[in-house]
């Protein structure tokens, strides 16, 4: 059974990751790849820092080398956490972390 609840501030990074990933998938080929690659990441990091968060996390598909490289280039690092598997296919995601500037 899936339980749906209202989002709370600590959900901001996860919601942003879902929105960003869905835009990248839905608009690939319709919008420039460079635009999609940099979509909202800096704004989200700034908003989380402004809200008082000390760290941000993002989950990325393990097999998505381009996304993982992008996050590494933006100062994120993988922390070793992994999750997920599909019904006979690989859905493994890896967690990335990034410290946020103190405000």
């Amino acid at each position: 059974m899936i339980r749906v609840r209202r989002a709370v501030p600590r959900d901001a990074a996860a919601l942003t990751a879902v929105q960003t990933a869905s835009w990248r998938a839905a608009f690939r080929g319709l919008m420039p790849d460079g635009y999609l690659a940099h979509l909202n990441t800096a704004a989200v990091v700034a908003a989380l820092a402004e809200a008082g968060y000390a760290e941000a996390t993002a989950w990325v598909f393990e097999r998505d080398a381009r996304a993982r490289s992008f996050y590494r280039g933006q100062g994120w690092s993988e922390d070793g956490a992994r999750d997920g598997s599909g019904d006979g296919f690989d859905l493994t995601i890896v967690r990335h972390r990034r410290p946020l500037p103190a405000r």
Side-chain angles (χ1 to χ4, degrees):
M1 177 179 218
I2 296 174
R3 183 175 158 252
V4 178
R5 62 173 172 77
R6 288 193 182 273
V8 295
R10 70 176 181 269
D11 297 325
L15 292 171
T16 299
V18 169
Q19 180 188 19
T20 301
S22 65
W23 269 60
R24 287 180 181 147
F27 298 117
R28 179 169 288 146
L30 299 174
M31 299 176 82
D33 287 343
Y35 177 83
L36 293 173
H38 293 96
L39 186 65
N40 274 338
T41 306
V44 170
V45 168
L48 291 171
E50 189 66 34
Y53 292 95
E55 183 177 61
T57 61
W59 289 89
V60 180
F61 283 109
E62 183 175 46
R63 297 188 326 180
D64 190 344
R66 185 167 56 172
R68 291 171 71 188
S69 176
F70 168 76
Y71 280 105
R72 280 191 302 272
Q74 299 295 312
W76 299 72
S77 60
E78 295 178 19
D79 68 3
R82 289 177 154 51
D83 192 19
S85 68
D87 293 328
F89 53 92
D90 180 18
L91 282 180
T92 302
I93 54 177
V94 294
R95 187 171 59 199
H96 293 68
R97 292 186 177 276
R98 177 183 174 169
L100 300 174
R103 298 278 171 160

